[in-house]
Every structure is written in C-alpha cells, then in structure tokens.
Amino acid sequence: MSLRQAMAGLHTWAGLLVSWLLFTILFAGSLACFDKELTRWMQPALHLSTGPRATTDQVRDWMHRQAPDAHAWWMRPPGPREPWWRVGYEPDGGLFQGFELDAVSGQPLPKTAGGDFFFTLHYDLHAGLNGMYVVGGAGILMLVSLLSGLVIHRRIFQDFFTLRPQATRQRAWLDAHNVLGVLGLPFHLLIAYTGLAIFVFTYMDAGLKVAYAGDAERFQTEVQRSWEREDIGQPAPPPVSLDGLIAEAQRTWGDGGNAGWISVHHPADAAAVVSIRRRDDSRITDDQRTVSFDAGTGALLHVQPPYDPGYRLYAWMTGLHMAQYGGQLVRGLYLLLGLAGCLMLVSGVQLWLAKREARGVPGMALVRVLNGAVMGGLPLASLALLWANRLVPPELPGREVWEVRAFLATWTVAIAWAVLRSRGGRLTRDQLVVGAVLALGLPLVSIVRAPQGHLGASLTRGDWGLAAVDLSLLGTGILCGWLSWRLSRPKASVSEPSSRLAEEGA
C-alpha cells in the first residue's frame, strides 16, 4: 500500500466518523462570529434605545442591591456591537449569574438565548467539560483529515479551478469537495489548531496539577501577571466612584483605550479591589493591561505588565480564533469560510455515499438519516429558535428556555423526518423548502413583533448591524428556494469515466 492510499483511507474515515459532529461545531461557530448582533436582534427592547447612558456607579448600585455579599461583581460597559450593559455576580461557592441591562435605564432586559447559545454550542455542545473533550477530539480528527487530504490530492491547485455541477453525481460532489477544501484550507487548519490551543490547559492539565496542585486560578494569575488581594474580614467603607476610577485607568493607559470588563472583588470587605481591563478590538491579542484600585480609597494598587512572550503567543492564538478584531469585514470572512467548511463536510459525505450507492453497498440508510438529521436539521432548528424568539412574549418568564425548547423540538422533528423520508429521495428538497419558508418569514413577522427593529425601520435609520441579520435571512431563504427548485428539475443522464473517482477519496 502506497502512502497516498494509506492517507486516502485515513482522510476518509477520520473525516467521515466525526463529519456530523464537525458540521455542528463549524455551523454554530460560524453563527457565533456575529453572536452580539444576533443577541441584539433577539432583544427588541434594544432596537431603539436612546437617551443618556446609565453610569457605572448606577450599575454598581444595582449589583449591590442584587448581591451585596457576592464574592465578585462583573460589569462590561456598552460598546458598538453590544449597546447594553453585560453584568454578573459570583456568589461565594455558587455559580456565576449573568444579566443584560438596558444601557439607558440600567434595568434588566428580558432574557433570551441570544447569540451566546451558538457560541456555547460551538465550544462545548452545551455539555460542559465533557462536551469540551468531545469537541477537542473532533478538532484533532479534523486536523488529521485536512493534512491527509493534502497528501492525497496531487493536483490540489488545479482542482480548485475545476467545478462541473452538470457532471455525474459523484464527479460533481468530488469537484465541490475539492474546491471548498482548497478555498478554506488555510483557514480550516488555523481554526482547528487554535481551537485546540485555546483549551490546551484543559486537555493537557498534568503539568498544572503537578506544579500548581490543580489550582487553575493561581496558574492564570501567574501567567497573565495579574494581581489580586485577599479579603480581611472587615466591613467595607463607602466606595469611591467607579466612573472616576475608569477615567484614572484611561490616564494610566495613556493611549485613549476604553474600559472593558470592570470587576469588584470582595465588595463587602474593607480590602475590596476594583480591577479595570482595557478593551481594544482593533488588535488580535487581547492585552488586558488591567489596572487595580482600592475600592474604598481609590488608591492605585497594581498595573498589569505586558504578557510574557509565551502567554502573548497564547493570547494571539486565542484572539485569532475568537475573531473579535478587524471589524465586520473580518467576521464576515470568518462566517463565509466557516460555512464553506460546513459545505465541504456535506460534499465529502455525499461523495462517500454516492460512490457506495453506485456500487450497491448495503447499509447506507444510517448515513442518509444522519445527513438529513444533522446537516439539514440543525439549520432548521436554528431558524426555529429565532421564530420562538419573535413569537414568545418578552415578558414571559423563562423566555430563553422556550427558545431552546423550540430549537430542540424542531431538531427532534427533523430527526424523525429524516428517519421516515430518507429513502424517498426528496428529503433534501423538502428541507430546503421548509428552510426557505422559515427564513423568508422571519423578516415579515418582525414587522409585527419588533416594530422598531424590522428591516424597513433599521434601514431607514441606517442601523446596518440590525438590518444585516434580516438581509441574511432573506438571502438564506432565497438561496434555499432556488436550490429546492434546482433539485426538483429532472436530471440528464451523464456517463463519465470514474478512474479518478476511485483513486481519490475511498
């Protein structure tokens, strides 16, 4: 067996066995590039919020009323992509509690699953630490599949310019797989590797357990060169103004930087510390340069020095993966290349399936079901989540739970649909029709359910961040409708040699 033959088998099975899982991860990660825009779209109260912004001191007072004895408070001021306060508190021995506050009134906004739902689905499948390990394993196999694909394709650059959609089914899927694979290859290698690197301390924690006795917080404090102070068990004096401390932190930075996360540790203790991180979305590396003050006196306690080279490299890879730099253009490229990765997976599985069905290989029903359930069902479930957001009243308690229930219910129906209709040959076309109806209907229902945020209103006032979501939905609906029409047309029979098909991608 030659090296290329061995790599062909490795490429096929390393990619196939996790293709549906990778599709879920890539699809959710692509949408998460615009998680903040999705969250705003799902919060009609934010569509037209005008007036003077609530001060940091007002937000701190709200936090004090909610959790006066918390271990720490966290606040993130409104920004261009997040025109709301993101706040939370960490009870002693409890789980972090997060809220979103209106930027003007400082009052809690109705909860929604928001774009964070897709972000969490991307990195841990909403399964916590176990989900992170599953995603990590899928990332390793993605790297294996990409690198082995480089070996087996001798004419990789020629393949990039070869696309024959009117050819035989196998040839068309092979061309699509090659074009999409070459188009996004550098990006997919980068995103798979950096995704693993971000959680390297979780996946390979033996050193942390030995050197730091498993104390991850102490490890992070040391490698980030940050600073903290223990409480002393005495009541806290009246706090100084947080807005004044932010101004002092900006003078310390000296470069016009804005405040990102603001934390108050041990707020009820005399040793309370206010830490203010710098926010700079123009750079890949999130160099926090945190400035710490005494919460009672306002005295400067510590200025975080620059990262060491090793941690700076880690922070650079994290920033490269998270796509918080470079503005909407960079995030748009991440979105398109991520979706290209999804289509690469679809074409690869369809190629594998077409070749075996042509040879009459039995047992292909499971693959057809998984294709319909995951690669067709997940996008439909995502659209259903947005529909639930529009239809469930914002004032209903637990609205975010109903949104997730709609997502899960729709995905369950899609799975059952795939099981029942996978042999009919019309499943994909029917799913595209449903996708077109759901996507095209959302901008219409927004006219009634979000009168300040529908497409016409957002375009009138030049709110392109909000309008882009509706325009994307319209584009998705039109594309799904066109593809369903294409699939409904009768296909001409084309005969073509298949020697290369047999050679590439067993």
Side-chain angles (χ1 to χ4, degrees):
M1 178 184 293
S2 67
L3 174 63
R4 291 187 67 248
Q5 289 174 325
M7 289 296 104
L10 185 62
H11 178 77
T12 297
W13 292 106
L16 178 70
L17 294 178
V18 293
S19 58
W20 302 281
L21 177 59
L22 282 175
F23 181 90
T24 302
I25 296 167
L26 280 174
F27 182 81
S30 300
L31 296 185
C33 291
F34 290 92
D35 55 346
K36 297 175 178 61
E37 288 75 11
L38 277 173
T39 297
R40 183 170 175 238
W41 185 89
M42 297 172 75
Q43 287 281 24
L46 293 171
H47 294 171
L48 191 62
S49 182
T50 58
R53 196 178 82 179
T55 66
T56 312
D57 291 325
Q58 290 173 324
V59 174
R60 178 184 56 186
D61 292 342
W62 183 88
M63 297 287 291
H64 183 268
R65 292 192 295 270
Q66 296 297 313
D69 299 321
H71 170 70
W73 300 331
W74 298 85
M75 296 161 276
R76 184 177 174 90
R81 296 181 61 209
E82 280 185 311
W84 64 86
W85 281 92
R86 187 184 289 267
V87 303
Y89 60 86
E90 183 182 345
D92 276 321
L95 297 176
F96 181 83
Q97 303 293 318
F99 303 88
E100 293 165 352
L101 306 184
D102 186 275
V104 176
S105 67
Q107 295 303 307
L109 293 165
K111 288 199 172 185
T112 177
D116 287 342
F117 175 83
F118 297 104
F119 178 72
T120 306
L121 180 64
H122 169 67
Y123 80 86
D124 73 359
L125 306 174
H126 290 276
L129 184 60
N130 292 331
M132 288 173 60
Y133 282 118
V134 172
V135 171
I140 292 173
L141 289 177
M142 180 177 176
L143 278 176
V144 170
S145 186
L146 290 170
L147 294 173
S148 58
L150 276 173
V151 175
I152 66 176
H153 289 292
R154 290 177 296 186
R155 300 185 296 179
I156 186 169
F157 294 107
Q158 179 180 337
D159 289 341
F160 178 70
F161 297 99
T162 305
L163 183 61
R164 291 158 287 188
Q166 302 298 333
T168 62
R169 181 186 175 196
Q170 293 183 39
R171 173 63 67 183
W173 282 123
L174 176 63
D175 288 348
H177 188 65
N178 288 338
V179 168
L180 292 166
V182 176
L183 174 67
L185 179 62
F187 174 79
H188 297 144
L189 284 170
L190 176 147
I191 215 70
Y193 180 79
T194 56
L196 290 168
I198 289 173
F199 295 111
V200 64
F201 304 119
T202 300
Y203 299 142
M204 304 173 65
D205 60 348
L208 189 149
K209 289 181 177 178
V210 172
Y212 293 87
D215 189 347
E217 185 174 351
R218 184 164 66 92
F219 167 74
Q220 291 291 342
T221 299
E222 184 173 316
V223 297
Q224 293 182 16
R225 306 179 73 180
S226 55
W227 184 85
E228 58 184 26
R229 182 168 70 176
E230 296 295 329
D231 60 317
I232 58 176
Q234 298 179 11
V240 298
S241 169
L242 288 182
D243 294 292
L245 294 182
I246 291 173
E248 182 62 31
Q250 290 174 326
R251 285 191 289 270
T252 302
W253 295 324
D255 57 4
N258 294 316
W261 281 106
I262 303 158
S263 64
V264 183
H265 281 76
H266 318 299
D269 192 86
V273 175
V274 175
S275 297
I276 303 172
R277 297 180 185 175
R278 179 174 171 273
R279 176 167 64 185
D280 184 1
D281 294 334
S282 65
R283 301 178 182 180
I284 297 176
T285 303
D286 181 16
D287 193 355
Q288 298 172 354
R289 297 177 61 186
T290 303
V291 183
S292 300
F293 301 93
D294 187 288
T297 66
L300 178 64
L301 299 175
H302 182 263
V303 178
Q304 183 183 17
Y307 294 148
D308 288 331
Y311 193 79
R312 177 171 289 277
L313 176 61
Y314 172 80
W316 181 80
M317 288 192 291
T318 301
L320 202 60
H321 189 92
M322 294 295 188
Q324 299 301 302
Y325 67 95
Q328 302 291 51
L329 176 61
V330 170
R331 281 185 286 276
L333 289 174
Y334 272 59
L335 170 66
L336 293 176
L337 290 171
L339 294 178
C342 294
L343 294 175
M344 176 184 67
L345 291 167
V346 171
S347 58
V349 175
Q350 290 289 2
L351 172 62
W352 186 90
L353 184 62
K355 292 178 67 174
R356 279 149 185 81
E357 287 183 332
R359 297 201 299 259
V361 177
M364 295 296 102
L366 177 60
V367 176
R368 286 195 297 269
V369 168
L370 287 171
N371 286 351
V374 177
M375 297 174 176
L378 176 59
L380 295 181
S382 301
L383 289 170
L385 184 143
L386 300 183
W387 268 91
N389 170 264
R390 281 294 183 257
L391 296 179
V392 176
E395 62 274 8
L396 182 71
R399 178 179 69 153
E400 73 281 9
V401 177
W402 286 104
E403 292 170 355
V404 175
R405 286 174 178 170
F407 174 89
L408 295 175
T410 303
W411 205 351
T412 302
V413 171
I415 293 171
W417 188 10
V419 171
L420 296 174
R421 297 293 300 274
S422 63
R423 292 184 177 275
R426 297 176 52 184
L427 176 63
T428 302
R429 190 194 70 179
D430 293 346
Q431 286 181 327
L432 287 168
V433 171
V434 174
V437 172
L438 291 176
L440 293 173
L442 275 168
L444 297 178
V445 77
S446 293
I447 297 174
V448 178
R449 299 297 298 171
Q452 300 297 334
H454 63 79
L455 182 58
S458 55
L459 286 176
T460 299
R461 62 176 182 268
D463 191 344
W464 288 101
L466 201 58
V469 179
D470 283 315
L471 290 173
S472 298
L473 289 169
L474 288 175
T476 300
I478 293 171
L479 178 62
C480 288
W482 179 78
L483 289 174
S484 66
W485 172 75
R486 288 276 299 179
L487 289 177
S488 65
R489 297 172 60 191
K491 297 180 181 178
S493 177
V494 180
S495 178
E496 202 175 317
S498 59
S499 58
R500 188 171 169 228
L501 292 172
E503 180 184 3
E504 294 188 359

